[in-house]
Amino acid sequence: MHARKERHIGFLIFPGFPMACLTSMIEPLRAANEIAGEDIFRWTLISEDGGRVEASARVGFDPDVALADIDDAEQVFLLSSPSSLFQNPERSNGKLRKLARHGVTIGAISGGVFPLARSGLLEDQTASVHWCYEAAFAEEFPHLATSSDVITFDNRRVTASGSAAAFDVSLHLIEQAFGADVATEVACWFQHPFVRGQGVLQRKPTFAAESTSDMLPPVVRDAVAMFSSHLEDPLNIADVAQEVGVSVRQLERLFQKTTGSSPLVYYKSLRMHKARQLLLYGTQTLVEIAAAVGYSSSTTLAKTYKEVFGILPKEERSKINMFRVREGIRASD
C-alpha cells in the first residue's frame, strides 16, 4: 500500500475573524486523521505579520507563521470580517498572488471572500457569498460573479458561505484524501446531517417567521423573488399579485399564514435588511443606501430603519465603526 501524501493547509486569519469558521474546518481534519490512523492533514495558522490575532469572540490566537514566510501549503484559506484589510496591501496581496501562481489553491470562508476579492484573485472566477453580505459585496465588486450556493469550487478557488459550509469543504478534502467512508464517519462523529457540495443553495430566513425561504409555498416564494429583485425600484403589491396569479387578498392571506406579516410589511423588511447589510459591511453614504433600497431621502430611510431595528442608521454605523477602529480594520464614514 502506497503511503498517502501529506496535505498541508494554511489558515490566514485577520483581526475580528469568525472563530467558528476556523474550528469548523480544523476539527473534521483532526478527526479524519484519528479515524484513519494517519496524520495526513496538518494545518498552519497564518497572520499577516505573524503576530497574535483576536477573533470576533474576543479569543486570542497565536499564529505559527507570517504570511510572507508560508511557502509549503497546498491550500490557503482566508478568514476575516468583510471589512478586514491588510496593513501592507501591496506586499501581502502580492504574496497571495505569488502563491496562486505557484499552484496553491486559495480559498475564503464567509467574510474572507472580501479580502480575497480585494487581492484580485477572484477575477474571472465565481464565488459563494453569504446572503447577509451579498448586497455589500455587490456594491464593492459589481463586476465579480457570485453564487448563492453554500460552496463554490472554481479552478483553484474555493469559497464557502459560512462555518457549516466550511465543515463541508473539509469533508470534501477528507474524501479526496481518505475516501467516502472516512468522510461519512467524520460527518457522523459531529452529527453533521449530510455532505453538501456545489449546487446546494444557502437557506435564507423568512424575516419575522420561524421558517426559511425553501419552506415557503410557491406563490409566496415567487412573490418574494420579485420583491428581492426590485428593492431599488419597489413594485406595487397589486402588480405582484397579478404576476403570481392570485388576488391581492389571497396573497395577503398566504403571506400572513406563512411569514406572519403582510406582503407590504415583508417587502419593507427585505428593503431594510439590504440597507442594514450596506450600512454594516459597505462604504456607501446614507443617501446612497436610501436610493439603493428605493427611498427618496435618508430621512425617510432613517424613520423606517428605526421602526424595524429600533435604532437609527447613524447610531448603528457609529457602533460598528467603534468596533472596527478597536479591531484595527476599516471603518466607513
Side-chain angles (χ1 to χ4, degrees), residues 89-123:
E90 182 177 358
R91 181 183 64 190
S92 297
N93 285 327
K95 175 64 176 183
L96 287 179
R97 291 192 291 268
K98 180 180 178 181
L99 290 171
R101 287 195 303 272
H102 285 77
V104 176
T105 295
I106 309 294
I109 310 298
S110 191
V113 72
F114 283 80
L116 180 58
R118 292 179 192 123
S119 75
L121 289 174
L122 284 180
E123 300 296 324

Side-chain angles (χ1 to χ4, degrees), residues 162-205:
S163 60
F167 196 106
D168 292 312
V169 170
S170 283
L171 290 177
H172 282 278
L173 298 178
I174 292 164
E175 184 172 356
Q176 291 171 5
F178 293 119
D181 289 346
V182 173
T184 300
E185 188 169 348
V186 169
C188 291
W189 266 33
F190 292 94
Q191 295 296 293
H192 198 69
F194 60 93
V195 181
R196 300 176 301 176
Q198 192 159 258
V200 178
L201 291 174
Q202 298 175 45
R203 301 179 74 189
K204 302 181 182 181

Side-chain angles (χ1 to χ4, degrees), residues 5 12 18-19 22 38 104 112 151 168 176 180-181 183 192 216 284 288 308 324 329 331:
K5 180 186 175 185
L12 175 57
M19 186 171 65
L22 179 63
E38 298 181 61
V104 176
I151 304 169
D168 292 312
Q176 291 171 5
D181 289 346
H192 198 69
L216 295 173
Q284 291 176 305
E288 291 169 332
V308 174
R324 288 172 178 168
I329 53 185

Side-chain angles (χ1 to χ4, degrees), residues 1 15 17 21 23 27 30 40 54-55 128 147-148 179 257 280 291 303 307 315-316 324:
M1 181 177 177
F17 79 96
C21 293
T23 57
E27 283 300 302
R30 175 198 60 78
I40 296 301
E54 190 173 85
S128 287
S147 170
S148 294
K257 181 179 179 181
L280 297 181
K303 181 181 177 182
E307 288 176 5
E315 295 171 350
E316 183 126 78
R324 288 172 178 168

Side-chain angles (χ1 to χ4, degrees), residues 197-247:
Q198 192 159 258
V200 178
L201 291 174
Q202 298 175 45
R203 301 179 74 189
K204 302 181 182 181
T206 56
F207 302 110
E210 294 179 0
S211 60
T212 52
S213 55
D214 57 325
M215 298 167 64
L216 295 173
V219 167
V220 176
R221 191 164 59 243
D222 291 346
V224 169
M226 290 184 67
F227 292 160
S228 298
S229 62
H230 289 81
L231 299 179
E232 186 175 348
D233 53 337
L235 299 169
N236 185 287
I237 299 300
D239 293 337
V240 174
Q242 183 177 13
E243 186 68 27
V244 298
V246 297
S247 68

Side-chain angles (χ1 to χ4, degrees), residues 22-333:
L22 179 63
T23 57
S24 289
M25 284 206 72
I26 289 179
E27 283 300 302
L29 303 178
R30 175 198 60 78
N33 284 345
E34 187 173 340
I35 289 168
E38 298 181 61
D39 287 334
I40 296 301
F41 290 107
R42 72 179 178 95
W43 44 88
T44 297
L45 286 189
I46 310 163
S47 68
E48 183 177 14
D49 60 2
R52 187 175 178 83
V53 174
E54 190 173 85
S56 59
R58 303 286 181 220
V59 177
F61 288 79
D62 294 308
D64 305 295
V65 67
L67 176 60
D69 298 324
I70 189 75
D71 289 310
D72 61 341
E74 293 181 9
Q75 303 187 48
V76 172
F77 288 91
L78 280 62
L79 292 85
S80 76
S81 78
S83 303
S84 295
L85 295 171
F86 283 123
Q87 295 298 313
N88 188 327
E90 182 177 358
R91 181 183 64 190
S92 297
N93 285 327
K95 175 64 176 183
L96 287 179
R97 291 192 291 268
K98 180 180 178 181
L99 290 171
R101 287 195 303 272
H102 285 77
V104 176
T105 295
I106 309 294
I109 310 298
S110 191
V113 72
F114 283 80
L116 180 58
R118 292 179 192 123
S119 75
L121 289 174
L122 284 180
E123 300 296 324
D124 302 318
Q125 310 285 328
T126 298
S128 287
V129 178
H130 194 289
W131 62 265
C132 76
Y133 300 146
E134 59 189 3
F137 192 87
E139 178 226 334
E140 187 172 351
F141 309 106
H143 64 292
L144 294 183
T146 61
S147 170
S148 294
D149 290 358
V150 293
I151 304 169
T152 297
F153 299 93
D154 193 348
N155 296 316
R156 290 189 177 274
R157 304 292 175 270
V158 180
T159 48
S161 54
S163 60
F167 196 106
D168 292 312
V169 170
S170 283
L171 290 177
H172 282 278
L173 298 178
I174 292 164
E175 184 172 356
Q176 291 171 5
F178 293 119
D181 289 346
V182 173
T184 300
E185 188 169 348
V186 169
C188 291
W189 266 33
F190 292 94
Q191 295 296 293
H192 198 69
F194 60 93
V195 181
R196 300 176 301 176
Q198 192 159 258
V200 178
L201 291 174
Q202 298 175 45
R203 301 179 74 189
K204 302 181 182 181
T206 56
F207 302 110
E210 294 179 0
S211 60
T212 52
S213 55
D214 57 325
M215 298 167 64
L216 295 173
V219 167
V220 176
R221 191 164 59 243
D222 291 346
V224 169
M226 290 184 67
F227 292 160
S228 298
S229 62
H230 289 81
L231 299 179
E232 186 175 348
D233 53 337
L235 299 169
N236 185 287
I237 299 300
D239 293 337
V240 174
Q242 183 177 13
E243 186 68 27
V244 298
V246 297
S247 68
V248 172
R249 181 61 184 147
Q250 285 176 300
L251 188 63
E252 288 175 343
R253 283 199 297 266
L254 282 168
F255 261 85
Q256 197 67 46
K257 181 179 179 181
T258 56
T259 73
S261 65
S262 70
L264 191 60
V265 170
Y266 190 92
Y267 199 177
K268 180 171 70 175
S269 180
L270 283 178
R271 293 162 69 191
M272 286 303 98
H273 278 83
K274 178 180 178 179
R276 194 164 192 261
Q277 287 185 35
L278 294 173
L279 187 78
L280 297 181
Y281 309 120
T283 59
Q284 291 176 305
T285 66
L286 293 182
V287 171
E288 291 169 332
I289 292 173
V293 294
Y295 284 85
S296 59
S297 72
S298 59
T299 302
T300 309
L301 170 70
K303 181 181 177 182
T304 309
Y305 195 95
K306 188 167 185 179
E307 288 176 5
V308 174
F309 299 115
I311 187 173
L312 289 170
K314 281 188 175 180
E315 295 171 350
E316 183 126 78
R317 178 160 273 181
S318 293
K319 287 171 60 178
I320 196 65
N321 280 350
M322 285 175 63
F323 168 79
R324 288 172 178 168
V325 170
R326 186 168 62 243
E327 294 297 319
I329 53 185
R330 181 176 64 175
S332 58
D333 295 331

